[in-house]
Every structure is written in C-alpha cells, then in structure tokens.
Amino acid sequence: MSRITLDPITRIEGHLRIDVEANGGKVTNAWSSAQMWRGIEVILKGRAPEDAWSFVQRFCGVCTTVHAISSIRAVEHALDVEVPLNAQYIRNIMIAQHSVQDHIVHFYHLSALDWVDIVSALKADPKKTAQIAQSISDWPGNSEKEFKAVQDKLKAFVAGGKLGIFATGYWGHPAMKLSPEVNLMAVAHYLKALDYQRKASQATAILGGKNPHIQNLVVGGVATAINTENIATLNMERLIYLRTLMEETRDFVQKVYYPDLLAIAGAYKDWFKYGAGVTNYMAVPEFPEDTKNTKFMLPGGVVMGGNIGGIRMVKDHRDDYLIKNIKENVTHAWYEGNGTLHPWDGETKPDYTDFKENGKYSWCKAPTLDGKPVQVGPPAQIMAAYAAGNPKVKKLVDGAVSTLGISLKDIHSTMGRLFCRGARAHVMADLSLDNLDKLIANIASGDQTYANHTVIPKGEYRGVGFHEAPRGTLSHWIVIKNKKIENYQAVVPSTWNAAPRNDKGELGPYEASLVGNPIADASKPLEVLRTIHSFDPCIACAVHTVDPEGAEITKVKVL
C-alpha cells in the first residue's frame, strides 16, 4: 500500500491538500483538507447589513460576483424586499456571463491539461488537425495556418526551455490517450480561450462597474442607472456592445468548447465509470423572472442516491426543506467542539490541531442536507433542468448520450462532471442573450426603475441568499439585529464538495469520488488530479491567512 499526498492540488487560488491510500493499482481511502482559514464571517459581525455584499466578495479573488449576489439576496430575503425587473435582468446577465467565463477557464486552463498532452502536439500534422477540427465544428478559427502557427510557437517555447506553466505537467503519462493532432487542436483552443474568457469578464464589468469585485449592487436592486440617451448611464451603445461580446463568447462556447469537450470525452469514455462518489445532489433555481423571486428560468432540485427519476424539485428560494435542513458539522474540522449547527446559529471559532486523519484535519466544515453529505455543481443543475423537461438541456443531454454511447446514469462520474459543466456553459451563453433581450424589451416598455430604496429597520431578522454559482449551490445566511449583523455564515460550493468526514464518518464528495480510481503510477498520480479537478476546486472561499501566533501578517492601506 502506498500513501500519496498532493498539496496544493488546485490550479487556482486556495490551498487544498488531498491524501490517498492506493493498493493494487487503485485508491482505497482518501482525505480532503482545506489548508487555510476563512475569517470573513467574524469580520462581518457588527457591521451594516447593506455593506455585507461588498465585504464577502473578498472570500475569493475570482468568483467575487457570486458572493455579492448571494449576500444581497440574504438581506432582501430577511427584509422581504422586492427587486425591480430591470435589476433582476441586469443581475441575471452578470450571473450568466460570470458562469460562461468561469466554465471556459475551468475546462481549458484548469482541467484540460489532465487529459491533453502538450508535448505530443509537437508531433502533430497541422493539416490533419484542421481536418479533424473542421469535421466537428464550422468555427472559422480552425484553419491549417492557425494550427501551424500555434505549433511553431510551442516548438519555440520548448527549444528555448520556456515552457512556463506547462513545465511541470505529466507529459507522456501512460493514461494520456489523445492523438497528436487532437492534442494540437486542444492546445490551440487553450490559447484562444484566454481571449474569450476576457470578453465574458468585460461584459460583467460593463454592468458591474468593474470585474472582479462588482460595484453595482444595492439592497433592493442595482446602482446601474438606465437612460438610453445619456452617455453616463446604461444606454443603447453599451447594450449593443454587450450583445457583441456575448455573441462572440456564445459562438466560442458552442462551436469550440463544447465540440472539444465531446471529442475528449469520446476518447476517455472509461472515465464515465470512475469518480461518482457521493450521489446525493442539490441545486437551487436560478435566473429570477419576477420581482418577488417566485419564477425562475432554470429549476432546482434534490436527488438522493443517484435516483434522477425521484428528484424533489425546488421551485424557489423560500423552500422550507432546504432552509431547515442545511447544517454544518465540525467533528473533523479545525473548529471548537464537534457539533452540528444550522447556519443561522453557526460559529466560526478556530481550533487548529495539525492534520490528524482520525481526528480534525481540515478548515472546511462538513455541510449536510437532512443529515446527509451532498454533491453540488453543474451535474445537479443539469439533472434538475433535465427532469423538469427543459428542452435545451434535454437536447444537449440526449444528444451527448447518443453520440458518446453512454447512459444517463454515467453522469455520476469524473467525465460526467466535465460534460455537465460544458452543457451548462452552452445554456449560460444563450441565457445571457435571453436576459439582454428581456432587459431591452422592459426598458422599451417605459420601465426605467432599477432599485427600490430600502432602509434597514430596527428589530431582528433572519435571511438566506441562495445562488446557483458555477461551482454549485451557494448560500449566505444572515441574522440582523438592530440594524447590525448579529451573525453571518456562508455555505459555499467548495465547502460542500471538499468537506471532510461528517459526524457519522461518511466521506465528503471529493473523498468518496476518489475511492476506486485507478493509479497507473503512484509517483505521478494523474488520475487523482482528473477527478478532483472535475469538481473545479477553488478553496479561496475557505481560506484566509492566519498566523498561529497571532502576529500581524501584513497591513493594507485603503485610500
């Protein structure tokens, strides 16, 4: 038996440590450990509720928008505030474009290199590469000239010893299966993806004022002034520019990303059999279409034990079952005690003990729904939309099942998660434009309202802000007392998926997904990377630097 420790395993900010035991060429046990502490909840106590959305964006330097949305919804839920339609559509566009950007980055820059061999691309025939690419997509960038230029650039990097971020990959690993030509195609699109993820970020910044860390939210709406004839507001020129950016990113997602995903999935069909792990899923509805958050463009749902046919649909964000049954346990987390608390009563009292595999070993708490561990992320939302009969999702899923020769239950897997994220990106690209059309139509009807002025009243109020973020269900829980934050807890997607064992000893989703994974070479555990990266791990939400001696680490002066 061999013990393998990967630390950090993430390709994005945050520190995640994964330990596995391998025996007989496969993983037999696993531990997931978030290595740094998040203290934002403590910082928020005593502050103004209407300012929380700005602070919580600092949970992360990447997914800032999702925390702002979830936080502002928590205050609006607590105070029963309606949100004007224009504000809902503006928020929806930012949410959808953030998802498009996030999913492009995840597929190409954070996970593709677990399947694509950069060095193999040096041996490819650019003409054959162009023929392959043109056979699966009519995207105009798939020319022999384009692929030759990328290959020449790659050769220059290798000759000059300047592989940079590519230098430490497991190139030539026996688990890499793509032909040199498909590898070259993927590398070329990897580089193009850098441009298109930027365009999606630009779209979010136009509405949000900046990105990351949007600046346009207020309790009761947005601060995005609307006047189609004013140069300083959201006007026709800005709306037209938004459409241009979103059409370009839509075409990249649907004509490059999605075909690439199916090509890679087809070459690695065996990975539809590994990595299922916890098959309890949860997704919340997203993209509200009315002022009271009762109608949504995409549904939510809860699947238990992988039974998609038995899904419990979630129609809105006031679902009593979710609100009452989401809790967090700290038996194996570096916090005081070993209890299970509802987020409104949640505590953030650090108690570091070093890594003890049978004791406490992570800064992540262990969230549960009705006492059970749950996996969140694109598979949950795609299952909910499929079960609800969403025609676009059904077409994508049924088409992939037919093309790849898999069954619906194969979604419960490492490759299934990658597929669902690609399908979700496909849907998000269209929803971006759908919401822009609705925004323009609503403005044209004469409605220019973008916020309902809200004053925080005296008294005690409790609220939860749900949001289906790119990595899965996100919820912020707030207790307001006499105009100040009495308590605040965030149960983020990575907390659900990266959770340690709970009080019953049940493995968290990362841990459970690794058990049974093959290990071809224990010194190069590529298979562990594939499964963990399929979740799009980002532990930034769960981290913040802390000195165990209590000393100040750095001082930042805000001007």
Side-chain angles (χ1 to χ4, degrees):
M1 183 177 69
S2 58
R3 177 78 175 233
I4 304 169
T5 300
L6 296 96
D7 181 17
I9 194 171
T10 44
R11 287 199 173 105
I12 198 168
E13 66 177 288
H15 289 257
L16 174 66
R17 166 178 167 175
I18 294 291
D19 287 63
V20 300
E21 287 178 353
N23 194 7
K26 65 180 182 181
V27 175
T28 54
N29 208 347
W31 293 263
S32 168
S33 173
Q35 288 286 293
M36 299 181 79
W37 181 54
R38 179 185 68 209
I40 291 285
E41 287 100 332
V42 178
I43 293 171
L44 283 170
K45 286 187 176 181
R47 295 187 181 273
E50 59 267 40
D51 293 342
W53 68 273
S54 181
F55 280 90
V56 298
Q57 291 191 81
R58 275 67 189 177
F59 277 149
C60 181
V62 181
C63 295
T64 61
T65 303
V66 302
H67 291 293
I69 292 289
S70 199
S71 179
I72 209 79
R73 284 178 175 174
V75 179
E76 290 166 352
H77 175 249
L79 304 179
D80 198 22
V81 176
E82 290 192 38
V83 178
L85 274 181
N86 286 329
Q88 295 283 40
Y89 294 139
I90 287 171
R91 291 182 184 182
N92 287 349
I93 294 169
M94 292 193 298
I95 289 169
Q97 280 296 286
H98 172 70
S99 287
V100 168
Q101 186 267 345
D102 188 279
H103 293 332
I104 291 174
V105 169
H106 171 259
F107 179 67
Y108 285 104
H109 307 126
L110 303 179
S111 68
L113 298 185
D114 298 336
W115 312 90
V116 174
D117 191 333
I118 295 279
V119 177
S120 165
L122 296 172
K123 298 180 288 186
D125 179 342
K127 184 177 180 179
K128 289 182 179 177
T129 302
Q131 290 171 346
I132 293 171
Q134 291 165 13
S135 72
I136 60 175
S137 171
D138 61 358
W139 193 58
N142 287 332
S143 68
E144 179 183 349
K145 181 179 179 181
E146 181 72 24
F147 291 124
K148 179 69 166 56
V150 170
Q151 190 181 50
D152 289 344
K153 184 183 295 185
L154 195 58
K155 287 179 178 176
F157 287 157
V158 173
K162 298 178 180 177
L163 273 174
I165 59 172
F166 302 138
T168 57
Y170 292 154
W171 317 129
H173 192 285
M176 293 285 195
K177 293 183 178 179
L178 299 180
S179 69
E181 284 72 26
V182 176
N183 280 319
L184 177 57
M185 179 179 74
V187 173
H189 293 164
Y190 174 107
L191 297 174
K192 281 293 182 185
L194 293 168
D195 293 332
Y196 287 91
Q197 64 86 26
R198 176 176 51 80
K199 292 176 187 291
S201 290
Q202 277 183 279
T204 304
I206 287 172
L207 294 173
K210 66 188 286 287
N211 187 26
H213 301 109
I214 59 173
Q215 300 292 304
N216 70 323
L217 296 188
V218 294
V219 177
V222 295
T224 310
I226 298 171
N227 185 335
T228 55
E229 298 178 356
N230 188 319
I231 194 172
T233 65
L234 184 61
N235 54 35
M236 285 309 299
E237 184 270 336
R238 293 286 90 184
L239 291 169
I240 291 170
Y241 187 40
L242 272 173
R243 181 178 298 282
T244 299
L245 289 170
M246 294 194 294
E247 287 178 344
E248 290 178 355
T249 54
R250 177 201 59 191
D251 288 351
F252 183 80
V253 167
Q254 298 183 355
K255 296 187 176 185
V256 182
Y257 173 3
Y258 197 68
D260 283 357
L261 168 64
L262 293 183
I264 290 174
Y268 290 101
K269 283 178 60 176
D270 51 329
W271 278 89
F272 281 106
K273 304 299 180 186
Y274 300 119
V278 173
T279 55
N280 305 324
Y281 298 90
M282 174 177 64
V284 293
E286 196 48 86
F287 301 108
E289 293 189 280
D290 65 354
T291 62
K292 296 182 179 179
N293 284 358
T294 61
K295 297 179 181 177
F296 292 83
M297 296 179 184
L298 286 180
V302 175
V303 172
M304 303 306 283
N307 181 14
I308 299 175
I311 189 170
R312 176 192 180 278
M313 301 306 298
V314 178
K315 295 181 178 178
D316 58 43
H317 291 178
R318 295 177 180 273
D319 190 289
D320 279 345
Y321 175 75
L322 294 190
I323 292 174
K324 290 179 180 176
N325 288 294
I326 290 177
K327 297 179 181 177
E328 292 186 300
N329 176 266
V330 296
T331 299
H332 293 283
W334 287 314
Y335 298 95
E336 290 183 4
N338 57 6
T340 301
L341 292 174
H342 187 278
W344 280 328
D345 303 315
E347 298 176 342
T348 307
K349 298 179 179 178
D351 181 22
Y352 183 70
T353 64
D354 207 345
F355 187 100
K356 297 181 178 179
E357 65 180 41
N358 294 317
K360 293 178 179 287
Y361 60 87
S362 176
W363 284 114
C364 269
K365 298 178 181 178
T368 56
L369 176 64
D370 204 8
K372 301 178 180 64
V374 166
Q375 180 182 156
V376 300
Q381 190 167 55
I382 292 298
M383 286 180 208
Y386 186 88
N390 181 290
K392 181 174 175 63
V393 171
K394 282 189 67 68
K395 183 178 180 180
L396 288 170
V397 173
D398 290 342
V401 165
S402 174
T403 300
L404 296 172
I406 60 173
S407 67
L408 197 57
K409 68 178 182 180
D410 288 329
I411 284 178
H412 308 305
S413 65
T414 297
M415 190 56 75
R417 273 186 289 276
L418 292 177
F419 162 71
C420 287
R421 186 166 275 103
R424 188 175 189 271
H426 208 294
V427 173
M428 293 296 122
D430 284 340
L431 282 175
S432 301
L433 289 159
D434 290 347
N435 277 284
L436 180 62
D437 289 341
K438 291 176 185 290
L439 172 63
I440 292 172
N442 197 55
I443 295 172
S445 74
D447 181 4
Q448 295 195 346
T449 307
Y450 52 87
N452 291 323
H453 180 63
T454 303
V455 176
I456 307 296
K458 288 185 177 180
E460 182 170 330
Y461 304 88
R462 295 186 172 207
V464 55
F466 285 113
H467 169 43
E468 193 60 26
R471 288 178 178 81
T473 299
L474 168 66
S475 57
H476 283 218
W477 306 73
I478 190 169
V479 178
I480 302 169
K481 189 173 183 179
N482 294 329
K483 300 188 175 187
K484 300 293 184 183
I485 297 174
E486 180 75 4
N487 198 9
Y488 200 101
Q489 293 288 317
V491 186
V492 308
S494 290
T495 312
W496 285 98
N497 290 334
R501 289 153 173 78
N502 60 24
D503 55 330
K504 300 171 186 172
E506 294 172 299
L507 274 60
Y510 285 2
E511 297 172 337
S513 70
L514 288 168
V515 176
N517 273 213
I519 295 287
D521 181 350
S523 67
K524 297 178 179 177
L526 177 63
E527 297 87 347
V528 175
L529 299 182
R530 285 177 171 175
T531 290
I532 294 299
H533 288 165
S534 72
F535 285 92
D536 193 6
C538 179
I539 310 302
C541 298
V543 307
H544 272 275
T545 53
V546 58
D547 186 308
E549 304 301 324
E552 181 177 272
I553 295 172
T554 187
K555 180 179 289 185
V556 178
K557 186 177 182 180
V558 180
L559 300 174

